[in-house]
Amino acid sequence: MKTKINFAISILLVWALPSFATTFYIDAQNGNDSNSGHYPNSAWSSLRKVNRVSFQPGDRILFRAGDLWDGQLEPKGSGTKESPIQINKYGEGENPVINGRGEKLHTLLLHNVEYWEVRNLKITNTGKERVARRRGVVVSAEDFGDCHHIVLDSLEIHHVNGSLVKSNGGGSAILWQNSGDSVKTRFIDLQITNCHLHHCGRNGINSRGYTNRKDWHPSLEVVIRNNLLEQIPGDGIVPIGTDGALIEYNVMRDCPDILSHKEAAAGIWPWSADNTIIQFNEVSDHRAKWDGQGFDSDWNCQNTIIQYNYSHDNYGGFLLVCNNGSNVHTDRNIGTTNTIVRYNVSINDGIRPYETTQRSWFAPTMHISGPVENTQIYNNVFIIPEKPLKENDRTIVEMDNWGGPWPENTSLSNNIFYVNEKADFSFEKDKNTSFTNNCFYGEFENLPEDPAAIFDDPKFIDVTARGAGFEVLKNFMLTKSSPLEGKGISIKNNGGKDLFGNTLDGKITIGIHEFE
């Protein structure tokens, strides 16, 4: 009897033990797919071998540093919260390279898997010609339910020649998309961090999800942080169908002027997304011929916060806030409301340089369009440049009516408008637009009514400072002789800190920082 009991206990213990995670090594030069793959000296060699395996929680797939593979990486299996599956490199040298060669619309595909972390790869996808929907990395989930913990970290994704035409599907370095007819599907804890994206068409990081408010099922805990985007002509970072996305410490710069006159694009902006926070990002050199702003709060978005950012030298301006009036207050579109824009710096934005004999090229510093409601723009600094051509648009704030209706309840407070040549404001049928406690320095036309306006020199540390990086922004602190100290209006729920981390208590100063 005792022997039978011990045998039963031993069986139960075996069942209770966790499965052992395995490390798999892939060596393009010295490996062989008939090997076990468990050690560097018995590594596999091909992507095909990796794609045939369904990996288990805790497994690691390691590619040898300095090696190159042609083809696609399409791994299978899912990890767990405690034991995610990891892709990484081993050995010394450059990150391993996977060249998609344009053979498929992706080079790396994570489809209907969860708890994956992918790090330290170089990824390309260049075909003979541009193709619609070509990407470097695609993360997709369909009829899957909640898809947890996907991490893309320290990837270099470059030379992806997707289409430059948005209506055709475009192309991008990274696309995430979630959908489902039988099972509502979304991402929870999607992280895109520390990646270098360059020479990709059309876009950097974009997405697809549930956008119809009647069928609303947003992805949660989306974080896009500390990425560098260069030589990308279209949209930089666009979360779609999310709630609470955090987009911070990213840089987008050096965007080539290769889009057609029909193409609209901008730097960082949510679309049909709620409670998005966009902070500590730098966007410059956006050269799209339509829009072309650094930042945007777009269609069907609630409670977007754009704060502590640096925008400069963008052809289309600093900011777009918009919504389409033709379908607002429907199942599709409940409106763009409660956008907050605070403690940002805009320098030399709105410099679209094209000549025309017919009209000026549209490039206001801020464009507020359609039935957007309750937009607050406060404690920002706008350095308006001398425009390069006589025909250039010299408007600071342009209000108009995308789809018919006009903006309502827009407030601009505690901002500094510093102009180097005559600039103007454009209003028409917008409702309840108010200016309060702003500083206007320079020459203006159609100046808005602001009972507490200040027209004196704000006395920056160095108003001529220019260049990349947040260090430049220290020059737009105020000196002690500034007439703006303590002259701002107090605003509820103001975030609690200025651009430089100083606490906002007591009297509020006009501009981006409080005196300590």
Side-chain angles (χ1 to χ4, degrees):
M1 177 65 71
K2 186 176 180 179
T3 301
K4 290 182 179 180
I5 291 173
N6 288 340
F7 178 75
I9 291 174
S10 66
I11 292 297
L12 288 172
L13 286 173
V14 169
W15 285 349
L17 287 174
S19 60
F20 290 100
T22 304
T23 298
F24 299 90
Y25 296 87
I26 300 91
D27 182 335
Q29 298 183 47
N30 306 306
N32 190 306
D33 286 349
S34 63
N35 291 336
S36 69
H38 296 166
Y39 303 96
N41 60 3
S42 60
W44 296 340
S45 66
S46 74
L47 297 175
R48 180 180 298 179
K49 179 70 174 183
V50 176
N51 293 341
R52 288 176 175 174
V53 174
S54 183
F55 294 98
Q56 302 300 311
D59 284 352
R60 297 191 305 157
I61 303 102
L62 305 181
F63 291 86
R64 197 180 81 153
D67 276 9
L68 181 150
W69 288 262
D70 287 332
Q72 293 74 42
L73 178 58
E74 302 166 338
K76 302 177 182 64
S78 287
T80 63
K81 182 178 181 180
E82 296 76 17
S83 301
I85 301 171
Q86 300 179 54
I87 293 177
N88 211 323
K89 70 174 182 178
Y90 73 97
E92 298 296 324
E94 294 288 322
N95 287 349
V97 179
I98 303 178
N99 289 329
R101 300 187 302 182
E103 295 172 343
K104 291 188 177 182
L105 297 180
H106 60 263
T107 297
L108 168 62
L109 174 66
L110 297 177
H111 176 66
N112 279 4
V113 297
E114 61 181 346
Y115 296 108
W116 278 80
E117 300 176 355
V118 184
R119 293 184 169 87
N120 298 313
L121 299 179
K122 293 184 179 182
I123 292 170
T124 74
N125 199 11
T126 304
K128 293 181 180 179
E129 58 186 18
R130 294 187 181 276
V131 171
R133 300 179 180 85
R134 178 176 287 149
R135 325 283 178 183
V137 175
V138 174
V139 180
S140 65
E142 183 178 4
D143 290 322
F144 186 84
D146 287 349
C147 184
H148 298 88
H149 191 69
I150 301 293
V151 176
L152 305 177
D153 179 72
S154 300
L155 306 179
E156 181 182 353
I157 305 171
H158 62 100
H159 291 93
V160 178
N161 61 338
S163 170
L164 299 180
V165 181
K166 189 171 189 175
S167 60
N168 289 346
S172 58
I174 298 173
L175 170 74
W176 87 79
Q177 56 187 2
N178 53 292
S179 62
D181 295 326
S182 60
V183 180
K184 275 196 169 182
T185 297
R186 64 181 174 181
F187 293 102
I188 298 180
D189 186 20
L190 170 65
Q191 304 175 39
I192 302 173
T193 56
N194 307 308
C195 294
H196 184 194
L197 316 178
H198 61 94
H199 296 89
C200 293
R202 171 185 188 269
N203 306 315
I205 302 169
N206 61 342
S207 56
R208 296 173 183 162
Y210 295 84
T211 61
N212 189 317
R213 291 291 176 162
K214 190 175 181 179
D215 196 32
W216 185 240
H217 194 62
S219 292
L220 308 175
E221 299 175 40
V222 173
V223 175
I224 304 174
R225 176 185 293 129
N226 200 36
N227 301 287
L228 173 60
L229 292 77
E230 301 177 289
Q231 285 289 308
I232 292 172
D235 297 309
I237 301 173
V238 186
I240 293 178
T242 60
D243 191 346
L246 177 62
I247 305 172
E248 61 181 5
Y249 300 104
N250 302 284
V251 174
M252 184 180 187
R253 64 191 184 196
D254 194 21
C255 308
D257 185 1
I258 59 175
L259 296 183
S260 81
H261 293 72
K262 299 179 181 179
E263 292 294 312
I268 299 176
W269 51 285
W271 197 85
S272 193
D274 289 351
N275 304 303
T276 309
I277 297 177
I278 300 169
Q279 62 183 8
F280 300 109
N281 304 282
E282 179 180 356
V283 179
S284 64
D285 317 309
H286 206 298
R287 299 184 175 101
K289 294 180 180 66
W290 196 246
D291 289 349
Q293 296 89 358
F295 300 91
D296 171 18
S297 175
D298 214 290
W299 185 86
N300 193 28
C301 286
Q302 310 283 296
N303 310 319
T304 303
I305 297 177
I306 300 172
Q307 62 184 4
Y308 314 132
N309 300 287
Y310 180 24
S311 174
H312 61 99
D313 303 294
N314 295 295
Y315 276 13
F318 158 60
L319 177 70
L320 172 65
V321 182
C322 64
N323 194 26
N324 189 347
S326 67
N327 56 34
V328 72
H329 304 312
T330 66
D331 288 341
R332 290 188 61 210
N333 177 9
I334 63 174
T336 295
T337 64
N338 303 321
T339 298
I340 294 174
V341 182
R342 63 192 178 198
Y343 292 97
N344 304 283
V345 176
S346 166
I347 301 176
N348 285 359
D349 285 324
I351 55 171
R352 190 167 279 126
Y354 309 115
E355 293 188 72
T356 177
T357 58
Q358 298 177 348
R359 61 175 176 83
S360 63
W361 276 86
F362 188 77
T365 307
M366 290 182 280
H367 183 199
I368 304 173
S369 183
V372 299
E373 300 175 10
N374 303 322
T375 302
Q376 296 183 70
I377 301 171
Y378 59 87
N379 286 98
N380 303 282
V381 168
F382 304 99
I383 307 298
I384 313 300
E386 293 184 10
K387 300 297 179 84
L389 298 173
K390 179 181 178 182
E391 297 84 358
N392 285 147
D393 189 346
R394 287 166 169 78
T395 308
I396 297 175
V397 178
E398 175 85 26
M399 296 275 193
D400 60 25
N401 60 336
W402 180 23
W406 290 77
E408 296 186 29
N409 301 323
T410 305
S411 65
L412 296 96
S413 307
N414 303 344
N415 301 292
I416 301 175
F417 300 96
Y418 190 108
V419 305
N420 289 285
E421 64 179 2
K422 185 183 291 185
D424 64 4
F425 295 82
S426 178
F427 311 102
E428 192 170 336
K429 297 181 181 179
D430 46 294
K431 300 177 181 178
N432 300 322
T433 300
S434 64
F435 284 74
T436 309
N437 294 69
N438 297 282
C439 173
F440 302 92
Y441 185 73
E443 189 176 357
F444 299 88
E445 290 183 346
N446 194 28
L447 193 67
E449 181 180 348
D450 184 342
I454 294 176
F455 299 98
D456 298 326
D457 185 343
K459 297 189 183 301
F460 294 116
I461 291 174
D462 182 5
V463 73
T464 66
R466 301 290 185 270
F470 271 67
E471 284 297 312
V472 173
L473 304 188
K474 292 181 180 179
N475 293 288
F476 296 91
M477 291 179 169
L478 303 176
T479 61
K480 281 292 185 180
S481 60
S482 172
L484 307 186
E485 182 177 4
K487 296 300 178 61
I489 187 172
S490 181
I491 297 173
K492 292 182 180 179
N493 303 316
N494 61 9
K497 294 185 181 299
D498 69 10
L499 176 59
F500 305 98
N502 299 314
T503 302
L504 301 176
D505 52 13
K507 292 184 177 181
I508 298 298
T509 294
I510 297 171
I512 56 172
H513 93 285
E514 289 296 323
F515 291 95
E516 295 182 286

